[in-house]
Amino acid sequence: MASEATTENGDGQSLHVPREVLLVKGKKGFGFNIRGQVSEGGKLRSIGGELYAPLQYISAVVEGGPAAEGGIKSGDRLLEVNGVAVEGVDHQKVVELIKGSGSKVKLTVMSVTEEEALKLEQDSVQTSDMSDVKSVPISVPEFEKKTDENGKEYVVYAVQLGSHMVKRRYREFHALDGNLKKQFSDFPFPPLPGRWPFKLSDVALDGRRRKLQDYVERICSVRAIFECDLIHDFLDLPSQHQKTSKSAVSTKKALPSQLDLQVELPDGGFVVVNVPGHSRTNEVYRTLVAKLGLRQGSMDHFALFKKEKLMYVKLKPDEFPHKLDKTIYLRKWVFSSKVERRLFVDPKAVDLLFNQAITDLKEDSLKVDDELKEKLEQCQDKPKDFLRLLLEFEGYNTLSFPHCPCDARKNGHVIVKLNDQCLALQACDQKGKVEDQEHTFEWERIKQADEDIEGECFMIQYSRDGKSPKWIKIFSDHYQYMAECAECIKRNLVDAV
């Protein structure tokens, strides 16, 4: 082995030297994630002077978990699982080996340099052609309530592909989503509807059915995903379906090569953009801003939105805007007054900001007192002065979410408010009637803010004087959007310095 193997990384682990680690599963698992190629075999690569087939690698380590305590580091290469060599083995099989280990797993890993890790990860990117997109006649036409042997009610959703139909529970959709993300780790999967801790009404269940239909339509439109074994198992298709799918299942008319999409601007006008038929949000947005003439420095501070229950929600980068049965809106994507002021050098950005403010005032989503209203009326022909007045107003650039449950309240709900100063939880009853109590958490106190996919909630961890940090979980249909807003605010705070 090359002499490089005697060197150490910053954590004292020898580089390029295989080492065995025995992990005992904790309450939240073994405390690590892996990534790597989705297919068998692959080109040999040199690591520390030795040739290896593609290796799965540690992509994340949970702080304080079994893996972290065992010395596993992000970037470590995985050579064996319980004595079974996994060099050149595909991602799904390695995951199954780890999952089948029970309460203990023995790993053989090897540390590499940061430069090697970056190059190896670039080489291991999945090679499935995710651009091969077509429309597939799959739907979730109905849901049905059933009762198990213990008298407990549950819901199944019918999934129909052509004349073939299966019925699946929500947890089966959730498991499929998790397994697909492991197999196609670089694909931007659409979000599943959130898991709800309370009994859902028929109206809410039908809303969930529509979201599940959107999910399966979008993932099955990608040929590489539609033809994988996970989808076949989920749909209970014959094993030879992949070979006969063209004749066994009739498909809808293919999308045209180009589409005209209409986007509503803040002033109420519309712009039509011509994009490829399979374009996702990011591609549509780039085409739009180029047509509008928005400067490159302003691009990150606007985005495409849809309206859900009177609330504007930012489109996910992986969504197909042409599949939405809703208007697409262009709106600002900035929470910091300092960052917004910097956009004043771009005339087009000023025009968009000014017209959005006018619209928000008219829609009453931005409420100001009579004194400020009078000042604003005096400078409606001076957009920058108009915006400067609003930037000094406390409620400007504050986003409020619909009321929802929170584990910090045993009775009642909370209204979540976000701006660049703090996250606020306004107490209210279960119908949204505001109560006197409100808790605010300045961003300096918030150690972590993230979405919990498994628990389907937005969660924050905040510091407390003389006590250990504490978690708060917020169970909202918009939990993923809350996390995205928090991430945007963090970027704004850095940019504003």
Side-chain angles (χ1 to χ4, degrees), residues 174-398:
H174 191 272
L176 173 69
D177 181 62
N179 289 328
L180 286 173
K181 286 176 178 176
K182 293 170 185 174
Q183 183 164 338
F184 301 95
S185 56
D186 294 315
F187 180 73
F189 280 88
L192 275 175
R195 185 164 32 186
W196 199 244
F198 310 108
K199 185 175 180 179
L200 294 171
S201 65
D202 285 355
V203 173
L205 285 170
D206 191 60
R208 170 166 288 199
R209 176 197 63 77
R210 292 195 301 270
K211 290 179 181 179
L212 290 173
Q213 175 166 305
D214 180 63
Y215 175 82
V216 295
E217 281 182 344
R218 286 159 64 184
I219 63 171
C220 289
S221 69
V222 181
R223 184 187 292 273
I225 296 177
F226 178 63
E227 294 183 347
C228 76
D229 290 341
L230 290 169
I231 292 292
H232 289 174
D233 291 343
F234 178 78
L235 296 176
D236 197 20
L237 295 173
S239 59
Q240 293 301 313
H241 178 81
Q242 182 170 340
K243 296 179 180 178
T244 61
S245 59
K246 289 186 178 179
S247 59
V249 180
S250 63
T251 58
K252 293 179 182 178
K253 185 177 179 181
L255 284 173
S257 58
Q258 294 290 128
L259 284 174
D260 284 334
L261 288 179
Q262 189 170 260
V263 180
E264 183 171 333
L265 301 180
D267 63 359
F270 289 88
V271 170
V272 176
V273 292
N274 185 259
V275 294
H278 52 76
S279 294
R280 299 178 188 274
T281 300
N282 283 346
E283 296 164 299
V284 175
Y285 178 68
R286 285 194 295 267
T287 304
L288 174 65
V289 296
K291 186 168 185 176
L292 292 176
L294 196 64
R295 293 183 184 178
Q296 188 158 354
S298 304
M299 285 178 59
D300 289 343
H301 305 300
F302 292 88
L304 297 179
F305 289 75
K306 59 187 174 183
K307 216 169 188 179
E308 291 184 351
K309 298 177 182 178
L310 303 180
M311 181 179 183
Y312 292 100
V313 178
K314 182 174 174 288
L315 295 188
K316 291 281 188 181
D318 60 289
E319 287 192 69
F320 292 103
H322 69 271
K323 289 191 174 183
L324 295 175
D325 57 352
K326 301 175 181 177
T327 304
I328 304 169
Y329 301 87
L330 176 67
R331 293 177 62 83
K332 70 177 183 179
W333 180 233
V334 60
F335 291 86
S336 166
S337 297
K338 288 184 179 179
V339 173
E340 186 167 327
R341 281 193 183 92
R342 292 174 187 169
L343 301 179
F344 286 7
V345 298
D346 183 348
K348 189 61 187 178
V350 171
D351 177 66
L352 294 171
L353 293 169
F354 172 70
N355 281 297
Q356 180 174 323
I358 293 290
T359 299
D360 289 348
L361 286 166
K362 286 181 178 178
E363 293 182 351
D364 212 25
S365 59
L366 177 60
K367 299 180 181 181
V368 298
D369 55 40
D370 291 340
E371 183 180 353
L372 178 56
K373 187 176 182 180
E374 185 177 340
K375 291 180 180 179
L376 291 172
E377 288 173 349
Q378 293 173 3
C379 56
Q380 284 200 31
D381 58 343
K382 299 176 182 177
K384 289 185 181 179
D385 291 343
F386 186 95
L387 290 169
R388 287 190 184 99
L389 284 170
L390 280 176
L391 286 168
E392 298 300 325
F393 176 60
E394 186 178 347
Y396 190 63
N397 283 336
T398 294

Side-chain angles (χ1 to χ4, degrees), residues 344-485:
F344 286 7
V345 298
D346 183 348
K348 189 61 187 178
V350 171
D351 177 66
L352 294 171
L353 293 169
F354 172 70
N355 281 297
Q356 180 174 323
I358 293 290
T359 299
D360 289 348
L361 286 166
K362 286 181 178 178
E363 293 182 351
D364 212 25
S365 59
L366 177 60
K367 299 180 181 181
V368 298
D369 55 40
D370 291 340
E371 183 180 353
L372 178 56
K373 187 176 182 180
E374 185 177 340
K375 291 180 180 179
L376 291 172
E377 288 173 349
Q378 293 173 3
C379 56
Q380 284 200 31
D381 58 343
K382 299 176 182 177
K384 289 185 181 179
D385 291 343
F386 186 95
L387 290 169
R388 287 190 184 99
L389 284 170
L390 280 176
L391 286 168
E392 298 300 325
F393 176 60
E394 186 178 347
Y396 190 63
N397 283 336
T398 294
L399 180 59
S400 295
F401 288 83
H403 66 92
C404 62
C406 172
D407 69 352
R409 277 178 62 81
K410 292 181 180 179
N411 300 308
H413 286 184
V414 296
I415 297 170
V416 178
K417 302 176 187 177
L418 295 170
N419 58 37
D420 66 342
Q421 301 298 314
C422 66
L423 179 151
L425 299 179
Q426 171 69 60
C428 64
D429 65 18
Q430 293 186 9
K431 293 184 178 180
K433 184 178 179 181
V434 174
E435 300 173 358
D436 293 336
Q437 193 177 22
E438 182 179 81
H439 290 289
T440 59
F441 304 88
E442 295 76 15
W443 290 105
E444 293 81 2
R445 292 178 59 203
I446 297 177
K447 298 172 68 65
Q448 293 186 64
D450 205 352
E451 60 184 287
D452 178 1
I453 298 293
E454 206 165 313
E456 298 186 353
C457 63
F458 173 60
M459 57 185 187
I460 63 169
Q461 185 190 49
Y462 67 97
S463 59
R464 301 184 294 171
D465 294 337
K467 298 181 180 179
S468 60
K470 184 176 180 180
W471 285 99
I472 291 179
K473 293 187 176 183
I474 301 162
F475 299 93
S476 167
D477 280 344
H478 300 297
Y479 74 96
Q480 292 181 313
Y481 184 40
M482 287 181 183
E484 194 171 5
C485 290

Side-chain angles (χ1 to χ4, degrees), residues 4-280:
E4 296 170 73
T6 60
T7 61
E8 295 183 346
N9 63 14
D11 299 300
Q13 300 288 0
S14 295
L15 294 172
H16 312 134
V17 176
R19 64 185 190 277
E20 288 187 358
V21 182
L22 179 64
L23 303 180
V24 179
K25 185 180 289 186
K27 292 181 179 180
K28 296 184 179 180
F30 292 115
F32 69 92
N33 293 332
I34 64 169
R35 295 186 68 182
Q37 66 173 22
V38 298
S39 56
E40 292 278 353
K43 186 177 179 181
L44 296 178
R45 300 290 180 188
S46 175
I47 305 177
E50 297 283 339
L51 291 177
Y52 293 89
L55 298 168
Q56 302 292 312
Y57 63 93
I58 308 298
S59 60
V61 178
V62 177
E63 184 179 351
E69 295 297 322
I72 300 288
K73 304 297 178 186
S74 182
D76 282 355
R77 268 41 207 177
L78 192 55
L79 299 173
E80 294 182 359
V81 176
N82 295 325
V84 178
V86 293
E87 184 182 346
V89 176
D90 70 77
H91 179 83
Q92 187 62 30
K93 288 183 180 177
V94 178
V95 169
E96 289 170 359
L97 282 172
I98 296 170
K99 282 189 172 182
S101 299
S103 61
K104 296 180 181 180
V105 64
K106 183 175 72 173
L107 305 178
T108 302
V109 297
M110 176 175 61
S111 294
V112 297
T113 66
E114 290 184 9
E115 293 78 10
E116 285 174 320
L118 180 61
K119 187 175 187 308
L120 290 168
E121 285 158 28
Q122 290 172 342
D123 291 341
S124 69
V125 171
Q126 55 133 326
T127 57
S128 299
D129 182 9
M130 310 309 281
S131 65
D132 188 356
V133 178
K134 66 176 182 179
S135 184
V136 172
I138 191 167
S139 63
V140 183
E142 61 188 13
F143 65 88
E144 180 183 353
K145 294 179 181 178
K146 293 195 170 189
T147 305
D148 63 20
E149 61 273 14
N150 297 317
K152 186 177 181 181
E153 187 179 89
Y154 65 96
V155 177
V156 294
Y157 299 87
V159 184
Q160 186 163 0
L161 177 66
S163 60
H164 179 74
M165 179 181 286
V166 293
K167 294 185 178 181
R168 297 287 181 255
R169 297 182 67 168
Y170 172 81
R171 64 189 183 193
E172 294 174 280
F173 284 91
H174 191 272
L176 173 69
D177 181 62
N179 289 328
L180 286 173
K181 286 176 178 176
K182 293 170 185 174
Q183 183 164 338
F184 301 95
S185 56
D186 294 315
F187 180 73
F189 280 88
L192 275 175
R195 185 164 32 186
W196 199 244
F198 310 108
K199 185 175 180 179
L200 294 171
S201 65
D202 285 355
V203 173
L205 285 170
D206 191 60
R208 170 166 288 199
R209 176 197 63 77
R210 292 195 301 270
K211 290 179 181 179
L212 290 173
Q213 175 166 305
D214 180 63
Y215 175 82
V216 295
E217 281 182 344
R218 286 159 64 184
I219 63 171
C220 289
S221 69
V222 181
R223 184 187 292 273
I225 296 177
F226 178 63
E227 294 183 347
C228 76
D229 290 341
L230 290 169
I231 292 292
H232 289 174
D233 291 343
F234 178 78
L235 296 176
D236 197 20
L237 295 173
S239 59
Q240 293 301 313
H241 178 81
Q242 182 170 340
K243 296 179 180 178
T244 61
S245 59
K246 289 186 178 179
S247 59
V249 180
S250 63
T251 58
K252 293 179 182 178
K253 185 177 179 181
L255 284 173
S257 58
Q258 294 290 128
L259 284 174
D260 284 334
L261 288 179
Q262 189 170 260
V263 180
E264 183 171 333
L265 301 180
D267 63 359
F270 289 88
V271 170
V272 176
V273 292
N274 185 259
V275 294
H278 52 76
S279 294
R280 299 178 188 274

